[in-house]
Amino acid sequence: MTKALKGVRILDFTHVQSGPTCTQLLAWFGADVIKVERPGVGDITRGQLQDIPNVDSLYFTMLNHNKRSITLDTKNPKGKEVLTALIKSCDVLVENFGPGVLDRMGFPWEKIHAINPKMIVASIKGFGPGPYEDCKVYENVAQCTGGAASTTGFRDGLPLVTGAQIGDSGTGLHLALGIVTALYQRTMTGQGQKVTAAMQDGVLNLARVKLRDQQRLAHGPLKEYSQFGEGIPFGDAVPRAGNDSGGGQPGRILKCKGWETDPNAYIYFITQAPVWEKICDVIGEPTWKTDANYAKPPARLSRLNEIFARIEQWTMTKTKFEAMEILNRDDIPCGPILSMKEIAEDQSLRATGTVVEVDHPTRGKYISVGNPIKLSDSPSEVTRSPLLGEHTDEILRQVLGFSDHQVAEIHDSGALDPPRKQAAE
């Protein structure tokens, strides 16, 4: 089958997580992604959090599948010639450098557009234009400045960041959508354009229900938040709500059988109004179906602590999987708290390609995430990440059409090799 992005060539100047997430997704869809790396060093994550000495880390391998690697010193005159040729030969340049780095390399947007008017230049930055646009941003900084941390955690505790990489990977996914959209527009205009995604913006987009609640708060208390039922006044900003559901239906994380020794023996339980009577039957409280103190959602708001404590008495008699099986029979929304170990061993996720096993020449077999987006006519195949500079000569010859003599000249120039250190006198 033809891959959805077959024929699209990406010039990948990304590193760490946000940019590589974007370009890996495009590679999974069939784009030819050429990762440009510093000679002798490469993407910094190759050597970060290494679990096996002298082997590319899982941090790197799990973010750079399906790509080709070329090493290039862009400060070297020959390196600049190669980069110019790559810009002419590619459709999209993706970068997540700090502000102004491309300009200092000698390749501002105006020059890139002049070299290749069809080129799309896609960038991830920490912030958009404004007072913080020159600030350095990492995952947790983005979560804090995008509104996620202030609304995550318990009311009487510190703000918390989430384990999901909504700042880095989340913004990479946003940028990938922008790139595909720009590619589609180019089919009509024939022109490239700039695409930008700020990490603060991406986090805020994912935290939009909290911005919704900020506006609702101006018109009265947020009744689905636990603190309303407990009679605790609201301030002027959306509070942290623990494990309350963000969708308006009361929800909590409850203990299940084995919680004393298993840190993940819990289930998320939502007391959805349409299935309230079924919930009453399951937990053994049939009188609550008609009792005025429990029958209607408004009456239950001040009793949520009591109600969830009673539901927890029932869930503690079941494993999280037993509880889920029973509750699903009656369409009662719930979800077990799955550990990473359980997810890694889930055969259904292996079958759908959500979790994949990859073979690497120096690491051996390891598991990774696969493409979370499934296309019926363009299934994704996950191939290993490249070794540093593995495809340099292949790209020079096959992509850029350089002759053996030209390739030799480029090698001799030092543009593909680490800078030589001057010997001490």
Side-chain angles (χ1 to χ4, degrees):
M1 294 183 178
T2 300
K3 297 294 184 181
L5 293 180
K6 181 178 174 60
V8 174
R9 184 168 288 146
I10 310 291
L11 185 55
D12 183 358
F13 267 104
T14 70
H15 57 286
V16 191
Q17 184 178 170
S18 61
T21 297
C22 169
T23 53
Q24 178 173 257
L25 186 62
L26 300 173
W28 280 339
F29 285 130
D32 177 16
V33 175
I34 298 173
K35 186 176 179 73
V36 181
E37 301 187 73
R38 286 187 298 161
V41 179
D43 189 320
I44 192 173
T45 58
R46 285 185 183 270
Q48 287 186 336
L49 304 176
Q50 284 181 315
D51 55 323
I52 302 174
N54 304 314
V55 172
D56 287 339
S57 70
L58 287 167
Y59 196 1
F60 176 84
T61 61
M62 293 176 68
L63 286 162
N64 290 282
H65 293 122
N66 296 58
K67 302 179 184 180
R68 296 196 280 179
S69 171
I70 179 174
T71 54
L72 191 64
D73 179 0
T74 56
K75 295 179 181 178
N76 180 295
K78 277 290 181 184
K80 290 185 183 294
E81 289 181 21
V82 173
L83 178 53
T84 300
L86 283 167
I87 291 172
K88 290 179 180 177
S89 302
C90 293
D91 299 285
V92 185
L93 185 154
V94 188
E95 58 92 11
N96 62 327
F97 293 129
V101 171
L102 271 183
D103 292 3
R104 292 193 294 273
M105 284 173 56
F107 289 89
W109 158 252
E110 293 77 13
K111 181 174 180 177
I112 293 172
H113 189 63
I115 294 169
N116 181 357
K118 297 179 69 176
M119 169 72 78
I120 292 161
V121 176
S123 305
I124 287 178
K125 295 293 177 274
F127 296 95
Y132 306 119
E133 62 184 302
D134 293 328
C135 295
K136 185 178 288 187
V137 175
Y138 294 100
E139 172 65 46
N140 289 354
V141 175
Q143 289 196 31
C144 292
T145 58
S150 70
T151 56
T152 302
F154 287 91
R155 188 172 59 246
D156 55 354
L158 292 171
L160 294 176
V161 296
T162 174
Q165 305 293 284
I166 61 175
D168 277 326
S169 288
T171 308
L173 294 172
H174 282 94
L175 188 69
L177 174 59
I179 290 169
V180 172
T181 304
L183 284 169
Y184 178 76
Q185 184 173 357
R186 194 182 71 175
T187 64
M188 295 175 284
T189 66
Q191 290 290 308
Q193 62 183 297
K194 292 190 288 185
V195 180
T196 59
M199 294 172 70
Q200 181 187 39
D201 300 359
V203 170
L204 178 58
N205 187 43
L206 296 175
R208 68 175 65 186
V209 297
K210 299 302 182 180
L211 187 60
R212 172 203 68 188
D213 290 349
Q214 181 63 41
Q215 296 170 88
R216 292 172 56 222
L217 189 58
H219 301 283
L222 306 173
K223 295 182 179 180
E224 76 279 12
Y225 282 54
S226 295
Q227 72 182 75
F228 173 76
E230 296 169 19
I232 299 173
F234 286 80
D236 61 0
V238 174
R240 291 181 280 285
N243 290 315
D244 289 349
S245 170
Q249 302 286 346
R252 301 274 179 90
I253 289 179
L254 306 177
K255 298 172 183 174
C256 290
K257 189 176 182 178
W259 68 272
E260 299 91 343
T261 57
D262 181 354
N264 295 298
Y266 293 85
I267 193 167
Y268 197 87
F269 192 112
I270 299 175
T271 55
Q272 190 180 34
V275 292
W276 172 247
E277 293 189 359
K278 293 178 180 179
I279 292 171
C280 295
D281 289 334
V282 166
I283 66 173
E285 294 289 351
T287 61
W288 282 4
K289 293 188 287 186
T290 54
D291 188 324
N293 291 319
Y294 302 96
K296 300 297 182 183
R300 295 195 289 270
L301 289 176
S302 62
R303 296 174 171 80
L304 288 178
N305 287 340
E306 173 199 349
I307 290 169
F308 278 112
R310 176 64 187 89
I311 296 171
E312 191 171 57
Q313 290 178 6
W314 177 82
T315 60
M316 289 171 63
T317 68
K318 313 292 180 188
T319 69
K320 60 189 178 185
F321 297 111
E322 291 170 341
M324 185 179 183
E325 183 177 354
I326 293 167
L327 297 171
N328 277 332
R329 292 176 197 157
D330 290 319
D331 293 326
I332 298 170
C334 64
I337 308 305
L338 295 181
S339 69
M340 280 297 160
K341 182 176 185 296
E342 289 167 323
I343 289 172
E345 296 172 353
D346 190 322
Q347 293 305 307
S348 66
L349 296 178
R350 301 284 186 102
T352 61
T354 298
V355 174
V356 296
E357 185 175 82
V358 184
D359 199 3
H360 189 275
T362 58
R363 166 171 291 281
K365 293 185 183 299
Y366 66 96
I367 63 168
S368 183
V369 296
N371 194 340
I373 304 168
K374 322 295 186 189
L375 301 184
S376 63
D377 288 348
S378 181
S380 296
E381 177 187 3
V382 176
T383 60
R384 68 169 176 86
S385 60
L387 301 176
L388 179 59
E390 179 178 354
H391 305 94
T392 298
D393 283 7
E394 175 182 300
I395 292 166
L396 294 175
R397 289 187 169 91
Q398 296 180 10
V399 175
L400 303 182
F402 289 167
S403 67
D404 290 346
H405 175 70
Q406 289 173 304
V407 171
E409 274 191 336
I410 296 167
H411 274 283
D412 291 342
S413 75
L416 310 176
D417 305 308
R420 296 184 180 90
K421 293 184 179 179
Q422 294 290 337
E425 295 182 358

